[in-house]
Structure formats: C-alpha cells, structure tokens
Amino acid sequence: MSKDLNIWLDNLLEDIESVQFRRKSSRRVRVDVAAEALPALLELLQGHASYVHLSAITCVDWIEEDEFELIYHLWSYEAHSLVSAHTRIPRDPGVYLSIYDLYQPAAFFERDIHEMFGVYFEGSPDMEKFILTEWNGPPPMRKDFDSEAFVNQTFEWEEYRPKWLEEIEAEGGGITTRPEDVRR
Amino acid sequence: MRPENYQAISQPASNEYELNFGPNHPGIEGNYAFRVKLNGDTVVSARADAGYLHRGFEKLMEGRLWIQNIALVPRICVPDPVPMEVCYSLAIEDLCGLEVPERAQWIRVMQLEMSRLAAHLFAFGGHAATTGMYTPMFWGVADRDLILDRFEELTGGRVYSIYNIPGGVRREVPEGFLGRLSSLLDYLESRLPDYDSLFFTNQVFVKRARGVGTLTQEKALKWGVTGPNLRATGLAFDVRRDDPYLVYDRLEFDIPTEQGGDALARNLIRRAELKQSIHILRQVIERLPSVTGPIRAPIPNPLAWNVPAGETYTRVESSKGELAYYIVSDGSDKPYRVHVRGPSAMHAVQVLEKLAIGSRLEDIAQIMFSLDACPPEVDR
Amino acid sequence: MSELQKIPVQSETTTVGGSAKRTNPLAHVFDDLMNFCRARSMFMLHYCTGCGAIELPPAMTSRFDMERLGIQPMVTPRQADILLITGYVSVKTLKRIILTYEQMAAPKYVIGICSCTVNGGMYWQSYATAKVLKDYLPVDVYIAGCMPRPEAVIEGLKDLMDDIKTGQAENWKRYFQNYDHYLGNQQKLFGEDWQTPTDIIAEARHYGLMTDNTLGEHTALLEKHQRPLEALGMRLKNREKQARE
C-alpha cells in the first residue's frame, strides 16, 4: 500500500508542468516549485498523499543570486517517505505566505526564520521576537552580517600574558605567527 | 458606603495574576522561562520565553571547517549529545558518498543506545524530583554516572565525547570494554524492579501524574509531536524503524506504545524504552567481536577538505524525538548552511503552551519534564 | 565585637574603607570563627545558566556528594551565598545574572565554571554570548574545563573555602568599590538605559564601601534614566467630603 502511494505520487508530480521533481532515493524526494504554487502543492500533499508531518522549514540565503530559498520538509507516516519542497523568493521584500492553516508546527519555524533572516510570513499567528529579544542589530543569519567583526567591535578580550611567554620574550624570542594570520 | 459615592474603578480582572515562571527556577529543565497568567491556581495562558541559551550555532558552523564543527555539534543538546554527532556525520557522509565500514556502524549504534539509556535515566529522575520524590532522582543520576564511566572509557569524555567523525569513529573499542558494558547492563536490569516499586508503580506518583498534560493522537499529529511523546498516544512511529539508518534494520527491537497520552504514559514509555535499549545493546555486544574491519573510512586531509556541493536532510531518533539536520554545501571547505531541527523545538514551545492551559501551576514542571523538553535545542 | 563596630552609626560621615579601628587584640578571633563557619555552610544558587549545569547533579548527589562539604542548592538568591555561572553566558542570561547577583546578600561569591567564562571559550565568534565574565561581575574562582568533572568542581569549591577561611574572598566589596567600571561595561552591552531595581550606590554608602571609583560618568547616565518606585495610588473619590466643603 505504501509503495503504491509512492508510485502514484511520482507519476502525479511528473505530470504537473510547473513542478520539477527528482527522487533521490527510496525515501527522499526533491521537488522544486514556483513560489506561487507552493501552498497548493502542500495542500495536495497533505490532503491526498498523507504527508501530515511538517518536519522543518529551512531558509537558505543565496546572497549572490539575491534570493532566499525556502525548503519545506514533509514526512508521511504511511508512505515512509520525505518530500522536500524547494522554492525561491526574491531577497528584497522578503515576504511570503504562511502555511499555518495547513500545518501548525509552521508557526515556530516561521517565527524563527523571521527573526534570523528577516523574512516576513503573512498570516502567521505570531511574528514577535522569540529568541533574540535583547538583540537590536540586523537579522544575524544573513550572509552580509559578519559575526566575528561584530564580536571584535562589541566585546573586549581577556589579557593573556602567561609567565612562560614573558620569560621567552625577555630572552629575545616571542610569537612569530599570530593565530589571525594563519586562519583564512 | 452610600450608593451615590460609589465610583466604579476600572481595573484588570482582579483574579488574574501574571507570574514569571522564570529562568531561575528548579522546576524548569535548563534555562527557560514562561510568562504564565493564573486564575488562582489554574493556568489561563502561558507564553514561552526562550533565547537564554542562544549561541548562534548555525552562524558559528558556517564559519568553521567541516571537521571543526564536530566539536560544536554535541553542545546543542546537552543531556543527549551523541545523536547530534552521529546525525551530522551521517549528513556529511551522504553528501560525499562515503561508505562507513560495518564495524564503525555497530560501534555507533552502541553509543547511541548508551546515550539513550543515560538520557532516559536523567529524564525520569528529573520528573521524580519535580513531584518531590528525590530518591528516584538520586538513583537516576547515580546510575547514569555509571554509563558515563563507560563513555569515558570508550571515548575519553564523560559528556561530550566527540568520537564520531564523518567516515567512522575515532578509536577502537578498548580491551575488555564489552565485558564491563555487559555487567553494567546486568546491573541496570536488576535495578528496574526497584525503580518500579519506588517510582513507576508507586501509587503516590501514579495518582500525581495520571491525567496531567493529556495529549490525544490527533492533537499530537497536528502539533508535530515526535518521539516517546507520540508513542505515548498510541502511534508506533520510530525513525529507527521507518527511516532506518546505520544497522538498525538488522536489529530486533519492539516499539513500545501506551494509550494514555498523559505524563504517566510518557514515563512508562521511557521505562519500556530502557528495556528495549538494553536488549539492543546485548545484541550489539554479541555481534561486535565477530564484525572485523577498519573503524574509519579514509577521508582527505580534514583541514583542506572540499565536500561536494549538494544538500541533504538526515534524521535520527534521539531520546527526545526526531532529530534532523539539513546541510547545504557549495563545494568549499566550510558548510554553507546547517539547519538543526531539534525535537524540543515543537515540544517546549507550542505543545507546552497549549498543554499548560487548564492545568495547575505545580503541574507545569511535571509537564515539561514528562515531555522531556530540552531548551538548548530550541535556542541553538 | 569588631563586627558591631563595623556597622556605621547614622551620625557618622562616610569613610573610605569602612572598618573601624580595632583596639581589641583578640578581635580577629571572632572574624576567624565567622569565616570558619561561613566556609563550611555555603548555599549555592540553583540556577543552571549553561551547559556545565549537567555536571552539577552528579556533584550534588551521592556519588561525589557536595553536601558533606556543606554545600547545598538553594532556590532563592536572597538566601544563597554562591552564584555558580555554569558555562557560557548569553546576553539575555547576563541581564538576569546581574539582577540576581545584586539581589544576593553580602558576603557573596561568584564562581565561573567552564572555559567560556574565562575568555569566551568555544563560542568566541558568537554574537550572542558575553566573552569575559569578570568585566560585568567580580569573579572569585574560575574552574576551567569543558566541562569540568564533578571532582574538579568540588576542588574549585574547596579552593573557595580555603580563600574564605583566610579572609581573602572579599571580591563582593569590589563591586561596590568599582561600580562605575562594572556599570560602564554593562551599559556598553545593554544600552544606556540599563538599570536594576537594587540601589547599589545607596548600599555602598551604607556599608561604607564607597570609593572614588564608585561614582563616575556611567552612574551619571544611570541617574538620568532611573525611575523611582511609585506608590500604588488607589483612592476612592470621596464625594461626601467634597460636598461638605
């Protein structure tokens, strides 16, 4: 029964034109859809193909292509297969529809993506800050935010002058290569 | 007071009281807070307040080499760090197409089940402490310490072992380790009747925990609950059985389920899973000496290792639920994006907020511990 | 006897340092007795601030048993002696730690467990954790490790006990004496309108621990933003009284 469901799903998805479909292994499927068509695809998967479990929503920041990629991972308890639905939205307004009315766990992920990437989900029940309530800077997971530069600006480091180093320096030696020069 | 002198003063509902069930509280597992509105003793609404343990893991992992992230990854889930390492390693092996040798797979299964035992002992020990029964907590922590001794012998570290790398495990199993592990399992099995009489079938605990935080199967599926919490409502779903990884498809184990869906059922599930983990470990101990071969697949120089471009979604069953990693690589020596989906992301936030409504104030701690909600996984 | 002399009388002006002259040659005996008792009955605040907290239950329970040394967990900061910072401190937690620290009654001790409190540790690149803990609070003992074993934690606590017995663990006074420096670091991280309900300057004045470093530019900012506590105004309009007038 579950194998038939997979075969039926493969055939269905191949037929739809605006959907690019690739089965990576017996339990992993990758689907690429346009941003407007994604909620309809998710409704189809949930209602007709038993994909009731939303495992995660991931956001990837493709800064060179000026786009955010949103990936919805759905798992079916009956077909034992995972469908990852990929879609791209332009980086500039960074707004998308929420799927809270289909999948309730989406509220957590959408709130998380909103505060980490700045993507706004219309229709999501709660877009308030959750983890970064004491943070006033830009959305930290974006690729144009440099964490190390921020740290060097905001925090001071502990002075590290151990005795053995002072003894070596008194004899004329010392550190020749600093750690910052070795790291890329 | 004369009626003409009476002026109604508008004030909020005088029987509602907002309480900060704050981070400094022994009833909260870890560093987490709730804003709870109470009507007398009953909770009217609860809002979770996370972020006290936020370290920006996903950003940190993008700035480090693939092999350096192995040191970061176990710190995401503190009581149960091994599934995190294994999941990360499995994801990289999937991206590279590395074939893990069979002996390494059996050793990984052994570690995962040992970690599951330790995490369950800690979880129901903590739950016992919230109901005021401190003896099971002392016993749970002490027995867990014996498992941590075995971890220290095998990997060198009690809690964060950093023993799994992409390609296999780092060191061979020491001489006599399997014998000592086997006698530890005998000891744990002999302790289970003691735990039963003091905790699991003790009427004090049963009356206290029955009916607290009841989840029905439809609600659990709708809210994205996974792991022992879902099995406590009757659905036998386990990532080890339905989406198998490593050598779980060659091992024999049952998936225990309960029907109640309340705090008592969740604890009984954990007790049944202890027995199942011991059963799996015994099979591994029997099988491991006859599986020979290398413990590590050859990988290129880790300091200059370009993992091929691609993306993968790997899932593992941790002691709390379904743990998943989504890794995107763009062909360089650092990850492009690592997304960690911890099981407590659902349990500690939405499920706990909804289950707390209608329960009493003293039951919130019980619900949190019985769901085994781990705040570092929410905050990352 | 010397303890009574330390409590300042209302009419006295503030003195730097604060301790009255000891004329009694046996005065130190009482001090030593107090330190001896204090070292053997320490209550640690049961606030698990970070990942190192997972090695605290093994240290507290029967295997490694901190309780035989007199160390017991306590849930409220008002009655606790030791604030254990177990691990890294995120910015959100640091605010709560400072609030908790100021609520604790003197003498109080801060122990920084794990390497993350020393110099940022493993999360040195992270935008959300504080790097050097002693910029924000005076720290008595650091216990390095990631994470330190329960035996190492007990060893660190024994070091603290030795320091208390010899009278060297007086870092809580440094908070009052250098409040401007600590407040400056806190304001740099949390913003200029950072304030806590505890009035540190008044306490420093009362205990006689005020120095030139207690007030400064940062406390001037604090005065600008400080809101005094207002009494709750709940009054009924008294029409009868108005009618009579």
PDB file of all heavy atoms in Angstrom, chain C residues 174-198:
ATOM      1  N   ARG C 174      34.463  44.572  45.922  1.00  0.00           N
ATOM      2  CA  ARG C 174      34.961  45.267  44.729  1.00  0.00           C
ATOM      3  C   ARG C 174      33.828  45.754  43.861  1.00  0.00           C
ATOM      4  O   ARG C 174      33.993  46.721  43.125  1.00  0.00           O
ATOM      5  CB  ARG C 174      35.847  44.330  43.908  1.00  0.00           C
ATOM      6  CG  ARG C 174      37.178  44.107  44.483  1.00  0.00           C
ATOM      7  CD  ARG C 174      38.236  44.139  43.423  1.00  0.00           C
ATOM      8  NE  ARG C 174      37.899  43.330  42.288  1.00  0.00           N
ATOM      9  CZ  ARG C 174      38.511  42.223  41.960  1.00  0.00           C
ATOM     10  NH1 ARG C 174      39.484  41.785  42.698  1.00  0.00           N
ATOM     11  NH2 ARG C 174      38.156  41.557  40.891  1.00  0.00           N
ATOM     12  N   TYR C 175      32.672  45.095  43.925  1.00  0.00           N
ATOM     13  CA  TYR C 175      31.554  45.544  43.110  1.00  0.00           C
ATOM     14  C   TYR C 175      31.100  46.916  43.557  1.00  0.00           C
ATOM     15  O   TYR C 175      30.812  47.791  42.745  1.00  0.00           O
ATOM     16  CB  TYR C 175      30.402  44.529  43.207  1.00  0.00           C
ATOM     17  CG  TYR C 175      29.347  44.719  42.161  1.00  0.00           C
ATOM     18  CD1 TYR C 175      29.622  44.510  40.821  1.00  0.00           C
ATOM     19  CD2 TYR C 175      28.064  45.097  42.502  1.00  0.00           C
ATOM     20  CE1 TYR C 175      28.658  44.675  39.863  1.00  0.00           C
ATOM     21  CE2 TYR C 175      27.092  45.264  41.544  1.00  0.00           C
ATOM     22  CZ  TYR C 175      27.394  45.056  40.225  1.00  0.00           C
ATOM     23  OH  TYR C 175      26.431  45.222  39.270  1.00  0.00           O
ATOM     24  N   PHE C 176      31.047  47.121  44.880  1.00  0.00           N
ATOM     25  CA  PHE C 176      30.664  48.436  45.374  1.00  0.00           C
ATOM     26  C   PHE C 176      31.757  49.453  45.147  1.00  0.00           C
ATOM     27  O   PHE C 176      31.491  50.613  44.837  1.00  0.00           O
ATOM     28  CB  PHE C 176      30.368  48.369  46.874  1.00  0.00           C
ATOM     29  CG  PHE C 176      29.169  47.541  47.204  1.00  0.00           C
ATOM     30  CD1 PHE C 176      29.303  46.350  47.884  1.00  0.00           C
ATOM     31  CD2 PHE C 176      27.911  47.943  46.843  1.00  0.00           C
ATOM     32  CE1 PHE C 176      28.204  45.582  48.197  1.00  0.00           C
ATOM     33  CE2 PHE C 176      26.803  47.189  47.151  1.00  0.00           C
ATOM     34  CZ  PHE C 176      26.956  46.007  47.824  1.00  0.00           C
ATOM     35  N   GLN C 177      33.000  48.995  45.300  1.00  0.00           N
ATOM     36  CA  GLN C 177      34.094  49.959  45.230  1.00  0.00           C
ATOM     37  C   GLN C 177      34.361  50.417  43.806  1.00  0.00           C
ATOM     38  O   GLN C 177      34.814  51.518  43.591  1.00  0.00           O
ATOM     39  CB  GLN C 177      35.365  49.346  45.828  1.00  0.00           C
ATOM     40  CG  GLN C 177      35.282  49.247  47.326  1.00  0.00           C
ATOM     41  CD  GLN C 177      36.350  48.326  47.884  1.00  0.00           C
ATOM     42  OE1 GLN C 177      37.002  47.611  47.144  1.00  0.00           O
ATOM     43  NE2 GLN C 177      36.522  48.356  49.180  1.00  0.00           N
ATOM     44  N   ASN C 178      34.070  49.559  42.822  1.00  0.00           N
ATOM     45  CA  ASN C 178      34.342  49.919  41.427  1.00  0.00           C
ATOM     46  C   ASN C 178      33.075  49.904  40.607  1.00  0.00           C
ATOM     47  O   ASN C 178      33.086  49.478  39.464  1.00  0.00           O
ATOM     48  CB  ASN C 178      35.319  48.925  40.798  1.00  0.00           C
ATOM     49  CG  ASN C 178      36.615  48.910  41.517  1.00  0.00           C
ATOM     50  OD1 ASN C 178      37.050  49.930  41.998  1.00  0.00           O
ATOM     51  ND2 ASN C 178      37.205  47.747  41.612  1.00  0.00           N
ATOM     52  N   TYR C 179      31.989  50.341  41.177  1.00  0.00           N
ATOM     53  CA  TYR C 179      30.710  50.170  40.494  1.00  0.00           C
ATOM     54  C   TYR C 179      30.674  50.873  39.154  1.00  0.00           C
ATOM     55  O   TYR C 179      30.046  50.415  38.215  1.00  0.00           O
ATOM     56  CB  TYR C 179      29.586  50.683  41.396  1.00  0.00           C
ATOM     57  CG  TYR C 179      28.218  50.464  40.834  1.00  0.00           C
ATOM     58  CD1 TYR C 179      27.822  49.208  40.393  1.00  0.00           C
ATOM     59  CD2 TYR C 179      27.316  51.506  40.728  1.00  0.00           C
ATOM     60  CE1 TYR C 179      26.568  49.008  39.873  1.00  0.00           C
ATOM     61  CE2 TYR C 179      26.052  51.301  40.211  1.00  0.00           C
ATOM     62  CZ  TYR C 179      25.693  50.055  39.786  1.00  0.00           C
ATOM     63  OH  TYR C 179      24.449  49.859  39.264  1.00  0.00           O
ATOM     64  N   ASP C 180      31.386  51.979  39.042  1.00  0.00           N
ATOM     65  CA  ASP C 180      31.329  52.727  37.788  1.00  0.00           C
ATOM     66  C   ASP C 180      31.905  51.897  36.647  1.00  0.00           C
ATOM     67  O   ASP C 180      31.360  51.886  35.536  1.00  0.00           O
ATOM     68  CB  ASP C 180      32.113  54.016  37.946  1.00  0.00           C
ATOM     69  CG  ASP C 180      31.848  54.943  36.799  1.00  0.00           C
ATOM     70  OD1 ASP C 180      30.665  55.244  36.555  1.00  0.00           O
ATOM     71  OD2 ASP C 180      32.797  55.351  36.134  1.00  0.00           O
ATOM     72  N   HIS C 181      32.998  51.176  36.939  1.00  0.00           N
ATOM     73  CA  HIS C 181      33.625  50.364  35.895  1.00  0.00           C
ATOM     74  C   HIS C 181      32.682  49.254  35.436  1.00  0.00           C
ATOM     75  O   HIS C 181      32.457  49.042  34.243  1.00  0.00           O
ATOM     76  CB  HIS C 181      34.923  49.786  36.459  1.00  0.00           C
ATOM     77  CG  HIS C 181      35.498  48.681  35.658  1.00  0.00           C
ATOM     78  ND1 HIS C 181      36.148  48.897  34.476  1.00  0.00           N
ATOM     79  CD2 HIS C 181      35.539  47.344  35.862  1.00  0.00           C
ATOM     80  CE1 HIS C 181      36.562  47.753  33.987  1.00  0.00           C
ATOM     81  NE2 HIS C 181      36.206  46.799  34.806  1.00  0.00           N
ATOM     82  N   TYR C 182      32.077  48.550  36.407  1.00  0.00           N
ATOM     83  CA  TYR C 182      31.173  47.461  36.040  1.00  0.00           C
ATOM     84  C   TYR C 182      29.944  48.001  35.327  1.00  0.00           C
ATOM     85  O   TYR C 182      29.482  47.435  34.335  1.00  0.00           O
ATOM     86  CB  TYR C 182      30.751  46.677  37.281  1.00  0.00           C
ATOM     87  CG  TYR C 182      31.865  45.857  37.875  1.00  0.00           C
ATOM     88  CD1 TYR C 182      32.377  46.144  39.130  1.00  0.00           C
ATOM     89  CD2 TYR C 182      32.410  44.794  37.183  1.00  0.00           C
ATOM     90  CE1 TYR C 182      33.406  45.391  39.661  1.00  0.00           C
ATOM     91  CE2 TYR C 182      33.435  44.050  37.707  1.00  0.00           C
ATOM     92  CZ  TYR C 182      33.931  44.361  38.947  1.00  0.00           C
ATOM     93  OH  TYR C 182      34.950  43.623  39.479  1.00  0.00           O
ATOM     94  N   LEU C 183      29.428  49.121  35.817  1.00  0.00           N
ATOM     95  CA  LEU C 183      28.239  49.666  35.175  1.00  0.00           C
ATOM     96  C   LEU C 183      28.550  50.120  33.764  1.00  0.00           C
ATOM     97  O   LEU C 183      27.724  49.975  32.860  1.00  0.00           O
ATOM     98  CB  LEU C 183      27.694  50.839  35.999  1.00  0.00           C
ATOM     99  CG  LEU C 183      26.381  51.401  35.503  1.00  0.00           C
ATOM    100  CD1 LEU C 183      25.300  50.375  35.651  1.00  0.00           C
ATOM    101  CD2 LEU C 183      26.010  52.640  36.276  1.00  0.00           C
ATOM    102  N   GLY C 184      29.759  50.642  33.559  1.00  0.00           N
ATOM    103  CA  GLY C 184      30.135  51.060  32.214  1.00  0.00           C
ATOM    104  C   GLY C 184      30.119  49.903  31.236  1.00  0.00           C
ATOM    105  O   GLY C 184      29.591  49.997  30.121  1.00  0.00           O
ATOM    106  N   ASN C 185      30.693  48.752  31.653  1.00  0.00           N
ATOM    107  CA  ASN C 185      30.677  47.582  30.780  1.00  0.00           C
ATOM    108  C   ASN C 185      29.272  47.092  30.541  1.00  0.00           C
ATOM    109  O   ASN C 185      28.910  46.678  29.439  1.00  0.00           O
ATOM    110  CB  ASN C 185      31.509  46.460  31.406  1.00  0.00           C
ATOM    111  CG  ASN C 185      32.981  46.764  31.325  1.00  0.00           C
ATOM    112  OD1 ASN C 185      33.420  47.419  30.405  1.00  0.00           O
ATOM    113  ND2 ASN C 185      33.724  46.298  32.298  1.00  0.00           N
ATOM    114  N   GLN C 186      28.436  47.128  31.591  1.00  0.00           N
ATOM    115  CA  GLN C 186      27.068  46.667  31.414  1.00  0.00           C
ATOM    116  C   GLN C 186      26.297  47.585  30.469  1.00  0.00           C
ATOM    117  O   GLN C 186      25.540  47.133  29.627  1.00  0.00           O
ATOM    118  CB  GLN C 186      26.351  46.623  32.762  1.00  0.00           C
ATOM    119  CG  GLN C 186      26.865  45.537  33.672  1.00  0.00           C
ATOM    120  CD  GLN C 186      26.371  45.695  35.093  1.00  0.00           C
ATOM    121  OE1 GLN C 186      25.438  46.437  35.349  1.00  0.00           O
ATOM    122  NE2 GLN C 186      26.997  45.016  36.015  1.00  0.00           N
ATOM    123  N   GLN C 187      26.541  48.892  30.594  1.00  0.00           N
ATOM    124  CA  GLN C 187      25.809  49.808  29.713  1.00  0.00           C
ATOM    125  C   GLN C 187      26.263  49.669  28.279  1.00  0.00           C
ATOM    126  O   GLN C 187      25.474  49.812  27.349  1.00  0.00           O
ATOM    127  CB  GLN C 187      26.029  51.252  30.160  1.00  0.00           C
ATOM    128  CG  GLN C 187      25.118  51.647  31.280  1.00  0.00           C
ATOM    129  CD  GLN C 187      25.432  53.021  31.795  1.00  0.00           C
ATOM    130  OE1 GLN C 187      26.457  53.592  31.463  1.00  0.00           O
ATOM    131  NE2 GLN C 187      24.553  53.552  32.613  1.00  0.00           N
ATOM    132  N   LYS C 188      27.551  49.350  28.103  1.00  0.00           N
ATOM    133  CA  LYS C 188      28.055  49.183  26.736  1.00  0.00           C
ATOM    134  C   LYS C 188      27.340  48.024  26.050  1.00  0.00           C
ATOM    135  O   LYS C 188      27.086  48.032  24.857  1.00  0.00           O
ATOM    136  CB  LYS C 188      29.548  48.913  26.811  1.00  0.00           C
ATOM    137  CG  LYS C 188      30.259  49.042  25.516  1.00  0.00           C
ATOM    138  CD  LYS C 188      31.753  49.070  25.768  1.00  0.00           C
ATOM    139  CE  LYS C 188      32.450  48.586  24.515  1.00  0.00           C
ATOM    140  NZ  LYS C 188      33.600  47.774  24.718  1.00  0.00           N
ATOM    141  N   LEU C 189      27.007  47.002  26.829  1.00  0.00           N
ATOM    142  CA  LEU C 189      26.384  45.829  26.234  1.00  0.00           C
ATOM    143  C   LEU C 189      24.871  45.965  26.147  1.00  0.00           C
ATOM    144  O   LEU C 189      24.263  45.562  25.163  1.00  0.00           O
ATOM    145  CB  LEU C 189      26.734  44.617  27.094  1.00  0.00           C
ATOM    146  CG  LEU C 189      26.566  43.260  26.483  1.00  0.00           C
ATOM    147  CD1 LEU C 189      27.343  43.154  25.224  1.00  0.00           C
ATOM    148  CD2 LEU C 189      27.049  42.213  27.458  1.00  0.00           C
ATOM    149  N   PHE C 190      24.252  46.540  27.190  1.00  0.00           N
ATOM    150  CA  PHE C 190      22.800  46.528  27.246  1.00  0.00           C
ATOM    151  C   PHE C 190      22.169  47.837  26.816  1.00  0.00           C
ATOM    152  O   PHE C 190      20.965  47.929  26.728  1.00  0.00           O
ATOM    153  CB  PHE C 190      22.321  46.242  28.668  1.00  0.00           C
ATOM    154  CG  PHE C 190      22.834  44.961  29.256  1.00  0.00           C
ATOM    155  CD1 PHE C 190      23.241  44.905  30.562  1.00  0.00           C
ATOM    156  CD2 PHE C 190      22.915  43.822  28.494  1.00  0.00           C
ATOM    157  CE1 PHE C 190      23.717  43.734  31.107  1.00  0.00           C
ATOM    158  CE2 PHE C 190      23.387  42.652  29.025  1.00  0.00           C
ATOM    159  CZ  PHE C 190      23.795  42.615  30.337  1.00  0.00           C
ATOM    160  N   GLY C 191      22.970  48.884  26.611  1.00  0.00           N
ATOM    161  CA  GLY C 191      22.348  50.163  26.260  1.00  0.00           C
ATOM    162  C   GLY C 191      22.439  51.118  27.427  1.00  0.00           C
ATOM    163  O   GLY C 191      22.682  50.741  28.569  1.00  0.00           O
ATOM    164  N   GLU C 192      22.193  52.377  27.137  1.00  0.00           N
ATOM    165  CA  GLU C 192      22.428  53.393  28.166  1.00  0.00           C
ATOM    166  C   GLU C 192      21.370  53.407  29.236  1.00  0.00           C
ATOM    167  O   GLU C 192      21.608  53.917  30.325  1.00  0.00           O
ATOM    168  CB  GLU C 192      22.455  54.770  27.514  1.00  0.00           C
ATOM    169  CG  GLU C 192      23.793  55.056  26.912  1.00  0.00           C
ATOM    170  CD  GLU C 192      23.846  56.471  26.412  1.00  0.00           C
ATOM    171  OE1 GLU C 192      22.855  57.209  26.579  1.00  0.00           O
ATOM    172  OE2 GLU C 192      24.881  56.817  25.846  1.00  0.00           O
ATOM    173  N   ASP C 193      20.192  52.886  28.958  1.00  0.00           N
ATOM    174  CA  ASP C 193      19.142  52.971  29.959  1.00  0.00           C
ATOM    175  C   ASP C 193      19.034  51.691  30.764  1.00  0.00           C
ATOM    176  O   ASP C 193      17.969  51.326  31.235  1.00  0.00           O
ATOM    177  CB  ASP C 193      17.809  53.300  29.286  1.00  0.00           C
ATOM    178  CG  ASP C 193      17.521  52.327  28.176  1.00  0.00           C
ATOM    179  OD1 ASP C 193      18.397  51.509  27.858  1.00  0.00           O
ATOM    180  OD2 ASP C 193      16.419  52.372  27.608  1.00  0.00           O
ATOM    181  N   TRP C 194      20.147  51.004  30.966  1.00  0.00           N
ATOM    182  CA  TRP C 194      20.157  49.782  31.767  1.00  0.00           C
ATOM    183  C   TRP C 194      20.094  50.151  33.244  1.00  0.00           C
ATOM    184  O   TRP C 194      20.886  50.960  33.717  1.00  0.00           O
ATOM    185  CB  TRP C 194      21.431  49.002  31.470  1.00  0.00           C
ATOM    186  CG  TRP C 194      21.804  47.977  32.477  1.00  0.00           C
ATOM    187  CD1 TRP C 194      22.874  48.000  33.303  1.00  0.00           C
ATOM    188  CD2 TRP C 194      21.117  46.777  32.752  1.00  0.00           C
ATOM    189  NE1 TRP C 194      22.906  46.888  34.096  1.00  0.00           N
ATOM    190  CE2 TRP C 194      21.825  46.117  33.766  1.00  0.00           C
ATOM    191  CE3 TRP C 194      19.969  46.169  32.252  1.00  0.00           C
ATOM    192  CZ2 TRP C 194      21.434  44.887  34.288  1.00  0.00           C
ATOM    193  CZ3 TRP C 194      19.583  44.949  32.766  1.00  0.00           C
ATOM    194  CH2 TRP C 194      20.309  44.330  33.772  1.00  0.00           C
ATOM    195  N   GLN C 195      19.170  49.572  33.956  1.00  0.00           N
ATOM    196  CA  GLN C 195      19.131  49.806  35.395  1.00  0.00           C
ATOM    197  C   GLN C 195      18.532  48.582  36.061  1.00  0.00           C
ATOM    198  O   GLN C 195      17.804  47.818  35.451  1.00  0.00           O
ATOM    199  CB  GLN C 195      18.296  51.023  35.719  1.00  0.00           C
ATOM    200  CG  GLN C 195      16.904  50.935  35.165  1.00  0.00           C
ATOM    201  CD  GLN C 195      16.060  52.034  35.713  1.00  0.00           C
ATOM    202  OE1 GLN C 195      16.185  52.412  36.854  1.00  0.00           O
ATOM    203  NE2 GLN C 195      15.182  52.554  34.898  1.00  0.00           N
ATOM    204  N   THR C 196      18.868  48.414  37.320  1.00  0.00           N
ATOM    205  CA  THR C 196      18.353  47.290  38.098  1.00  0.00           C
ATOM    206  C   THR C 196      17.576  47.844  39.282  1.00  0.00           C
ATOM    207  O   THR C 196      17.796  48.986  39.688  1.00  0.00           O
ATOM    208  CB  THR C 196      19.498  46.423  38.628  1.00  0.00           C
ATOM    209  OG1 THR C 196      20.328  47.236  39.432  1.00  0.00           O
ATOM    210  CG2 THR C 196      20.296  45.830  37.516  1.00  0.00           C
ATOM    211  N   PRO C 197      16.682  47.053  39.871  1.00  0.00           N
ATOM    212  CA  PRO C 197      15.913  47.558  41.000  1.00  0.00           C
ATOM    213  C   PRO C 197      16.755  47.832  42.247  1.00  0.00           C
ATOM    214  O   PRO C 197      16.315  48.540  43.137  1.00  0.00           O
ATOM    215  CB  PRO C 197      14.900  46.447  41.283  1.00  0.00           C
ATOM    216  CG  PRO C 197      14.864  45.629  40.066  1.00  0.00           C
ATOM    217  CD  PRO C 197      16.183  45.751  39.422  1.00  0.00           C
ATOM    218  N   THR C 198      17.963  47.257  42.311  1.00  0.00           N
ATOM    219  CA  THR C 198      18.764  47.443  43.523  1.00  0.00           C
ATOM    220  C   THR C 198      19.547  48.746  43.439  1.00  0.00           C
ATOM    221  O   THR C 198      20.159  49.029  42.414  1.00  0.00           O
ATOM    222  CB  THR C 198      19.747  46.280  43.653  1.00  0.00           C
ATOM    223  OG1 THR C 198      19.108  45.090  43.250  1.00  0.00           O
ATOM    224  CG2 THR C 198      20.237  46.134  45.057  1.00  0.00           C
TER     225      THR C 198
END
